[in-house]
Amino acid sequence: MTDSTKNTFSRRSMLATLGAGAGLAGLGAVTSAKAADLPSPETVETFDVVVIGTGLAGTVAALEAASSGAKVAIVEKAPENRAGGNSAFSAGIIAMPASQSAGDQDAFLEDFVAKGKGRGNRTVYELMAKAARADVDWLRSHGVEFLPEGTMPPYRIATATTAPGPYMGMPRTLADLRKKITGMGGRFFFDTKAKQLVIDGKGAVSGVRAVGPAGVVELAARSVVITTGGYAGNPQIIAAYSDPNAEAMMVRGIGWATGDGLVLAEEVGAGLRGMGGIMALHIAAVDAVETAAGNPFAALPYCISVNQEGKRFIDESKGYVAHGKAVLAQPGQRASLVFDQQIAELPPSQTTMGTFRRLGIEMAEAATLEELAEKIGVPADALVATVNEFNTSVENGTAPKASPPKAALAGKIETAPFYAFRSLAPGVTLTFGGIMINEKAEVLEADGRVIPGLYAAGEGAGHVFYDDYVGGGSLANCLVMGRIAGREAVAGIR
Ligand SMILES: Cc1cc2nc3c(=O)[nH]c(=O)nc-3n(C[C@H](O)[C@H](O)[C@H](O)COP(=O)(O)OP(=O)(O)OC[C@H]3O[C@@H](n4cnc5c(N)ncnc54)[C@H](O)[C@@H]3O)c2cc1C
């Protein structure tokens, strides 16, 4: 299936001169991840498909390609014991339609479209609606275990969470899948950073130049799949495109989600989309010490959120992305989620409280609201007034029209003891903008032209989300588009 890779050359210098890509200067001007021109390596190893990155998107792309008999190499800049990217850090929740019925697929699609204010990538949502459930079953067929199916109110979706539970299942899942890939002849190159794409005389991408423990290596291939994740760990890109205060935001996942794939793709002419505005980030309000799993997202819609002045500022039922972005605009960029014993007994609160206890994150608990106010550092009279006003609106049935409203899941806060997940800070979970691709995961130039031999999937591709997303949507995107990329990367060769 593979060609020799004579006459390869890098277009980086030419493109840098032309200032190709998004913005006037392109990502190269804003990121320290910019690729350097590399000397020709001593040896060139030849594969059918090279996948860059071992997150969920890269892992399923490699598995799909290897399953069809292709000779696959996977390049990962992390050492083997840190493989898996943000996927390994994640809660492992995958969104899927509640069933394969047309009605449930439509409900899934509508929830995603609405959440992205109609500006998310509808093509990808349609592919997710059609394939996410079946792709979860495909993972099962490869030995991946899930908890019993869940739901995520108020969305009309089902969730598949990797066993043994949130924030615990993904490292094992990914490690097991890597073993499968190795068993099918796939070769992993850990500690090896992709620095440049190689272009052949026909203008097709024909390999990757990377730097690993033995120095510069070239992995020649007929298809290259970029699955390097997003740019949450690159404040330069965030500041340039989204928010000048990027340095002040916490990074919830791995620091090396630095947008490398966006840079690599842009250097060979790929278009980027959806990079602009704070809308292009997923910000959750999280525990400032345990930023990864310290996100009380399941309990949030049932609680009220108060800022440091003890006042509500957002409809909590809008979910954790809208909430996190709203916290960015609050004094001191901190908020606490207040709830009572009745809310504490609901299963979503129990799940969150269980996770916090497991991680040793302290929650505030008090016999009175005044005492709780002291523990979370807000004025007692303000917190009492906020809770009274909120309870009255629930009693009168006016919560959906209150200021701020609570459109769903409003319940009175009146039964002691009172609790709070406290001093939550905004942290970037994932980034929404990325490399332009089509429904086959082929990488596109800004004018829609396909770059032959180059595919991309996962968080850094497809500008899938805008403003907000439905929980579990990112891993669903990685799974569905990762599989498509792996399949199409092989089909493209044949
Ligand atoms: C704490 C947390 C919890 C989350 N929970 C969920 C959840 O439950 N459900 C959900 O849908 N989403 C969740 N997300 C988001 C989701 O985890 C990510 O969007 C998704 O895992 C991204 O997967 P990916 O395969 O695109 O990239 P990643 O999983 O980030 O993998 C990219 C890989 O590429 C490697 N790489 C990067 N550059 C190079 C290079 N130049 N050369 C070689 N390798 C390179 C990286 O080291 C990394 O291993 C969560 C995120 C965080 C941070």
Side-chain angles (χ1 to χ4, degrees), residues 301-305 312 314-317 338-340 342-343 385-415:
Y302 302 90
C303 304
I304 61 166
S305 180
R312 287 184 65 229
I314 174 86
D315 178 349
E316 297 84 352
S317 69
V338 172
F339 55 109
D340 71 352
Q342 286 187 51
I343 295 170
T386 297
V387 171
N388 286 344
E389 194 184 324
F390 176 73
N391 285 349
T392 307
S393 75
V394 177
E395 220 164 86
N396 298 340
T398 55
K401 291 195 176 122
S403 178
K406 187 151 190 196
L409 307 173
K412 281 163 76 173
I413 295 172
E414 57 183 2
T415 309

Side-chain angles (χ1 to χ4, degrees), residues 56 87 90-99 108 112 131-140 144-152 157-167 169-170 173 297 470-477 479:
L56 184 66
S87 302
S90 76
I93 301 169
I94 304 175
M96 57 188 188
S99 76
F108 177 99
F112 272 89
R133 258 195 109 78
D135 287 353
V136 165
D137 284 340
W138 174 78
L139 283 179
R140 274 197 190 94
V144 178
E145 290 174 17
F146 292 94
L147 298 183
E149 209 166 297
T151 55
M152 196 176 277
I157 61 159
T159 53
T161 302
T162 48
Y167 300 105
M170 285 303 281
T173 295
F297 68 90
V470 176
S474 190
L475 291 181
N477 166 45
L479 173 59

Side-chain angles (χ1 to χ4, degrees), residues 4-356:
S4 97
T5 51
K6 282 176 190 160
N7 303 324
T8 57
F9 62 94
S10 161
R11 283 176 58 195
R12 192 196 75 80
S13 323
M14 181 179 77
L15 287 162
T17 315
L18 294 174
L24 281 180
L27 278 177
V30 300
T31 174
S32 54
K34 184 178 174 184
D37 274 325
L38 297 173
S40 294
E42 298 274 313
T43 53
V44 177
E45 288 202 62
T46 301
F47 297 87
D48 297 320
V49 178
V50 173
V51 175
I52 312 173
T54 57
L56 184 66
T59 302
V60 299
L63 183 58
E64 184 71 47
S67 305
S68 65
K71 189 179 169 195
V72 179
I74 306 97
V75 186
E76 169 57 59
K77 69 177 172 180
E80 184 167 7
N81 62 1
R82 309 284 304 274
N86 272 326
S87 302
F89 265 71
S90 76
I93 301 169
I94 304 175
M96 57 188 188
S99 76
Q100 288 292 41
S101 75
D104 284 336
Q105 291 188 3
D106 286 350
F108 177 99
L109 179 63
E110 282 163 20
D111 279 353
F112 272 89
V113 170
K115 216 54 192 156
K117 298 185 171 163
R119 293 179 65 180
N121 190 333
R122 191 183 173 97
T123 305
V124 174
Y125 298 159
E126 283 172 353
L127 292 167
M128 282 160 59
K130 212 181 277 178
R133 258 195 109 78
D135 287 353
V136 165
D137 284 340
W138 174 78
L139 283 179
R140 274 197 190 94
S141 77
H142 282 288
V144 178
E145 290 174 17
F146 292 94
L147 298 183
E149 209 166 297
T151 55
M152 196 176 277
Y155 310 115
R156 298 163 296 166
I157 61 159
T159 53
T161 302
T162 48
Y167 300 105
M168 294 184 278
M170 285 303 281
R172 187 181 77 185
T173 295
L174 293 167
D176 288 350
L177 294 176
R178 285 198 295 275
K179 272 190 211 138
K180 288 228 151 197
I181 295 165
T182 306
M184 292 172 184
R187 286 242 335 258
F188 285 88
F189 295 79
F190 292 107
D191 242 330
T192 302
K193 180 170 178 173
K195 290 272 202 173
Q196 256 175 249
L197 298 177
V198 182
I199 305 284
D200 68 15
K202 291 179 181 159
V205 170
S206 61
V208 175
R209 253 176 222 180
V211 178
V216 178
V217 290
E218 183 168 316
L219 306 177
R222 294 282 295 278
S223 298
V224 172
V225 184
I226 296 177
T227 49
T228 50
Y231 50 92
N234 193 328
Q236 280 179 287
I237 297 181
I238 295 176
Y241 285 93
S242 295
D243 190 293
N245 298 313
E247 300 275 1
M249 295 175 194
M250 296 191 197
V251 178
R252 294 191 57 215
I254 53 162
W256 57 76
T258 44
D260 298 12
L262 281 65
V263 178
L264 292 170
E266 197 195 35
E267 285 172 354
V268 296
L272 303 180
R273 275 188 68 182
M275 305 288 293
I278 200 76
M279 304 299 184
L281 301 178
H282 171 314
I283 297 179
V286 292
D287 177 82
V289 177
E290 175 41 78
T291 52
N295 175 13
F297 68 90
L300 166 70
Y302 302 90
C303 304
I304 61 166
S305 180
V306 297
N307 63 17
Q308 289 186 331
E309 293 167 349
K311 294 180 184 157
R312 287 184 65 229
F313 53 92
I314 174 86
D315 178 349
E316 297 84 352
S317 69
K318 280 182 153 184
Y320 57 101
V321 179
H323 176 249
K325 285 178 180 170
V327 174
L328 263 185
Q330 298 309 304
Q333 300 189 319
R334 290 289 186 278
S336 297
L337 299 189
V338 172
F339 55 109
D340 71 352
Q341 182 58 30
Q342 286 187 51
I343 295 170
E345 284 167 16
L346 299 173
S349 314
Q350 287 289 309
T351 304
T352 307
M353 291 169 89
T355 304
F356 273 48

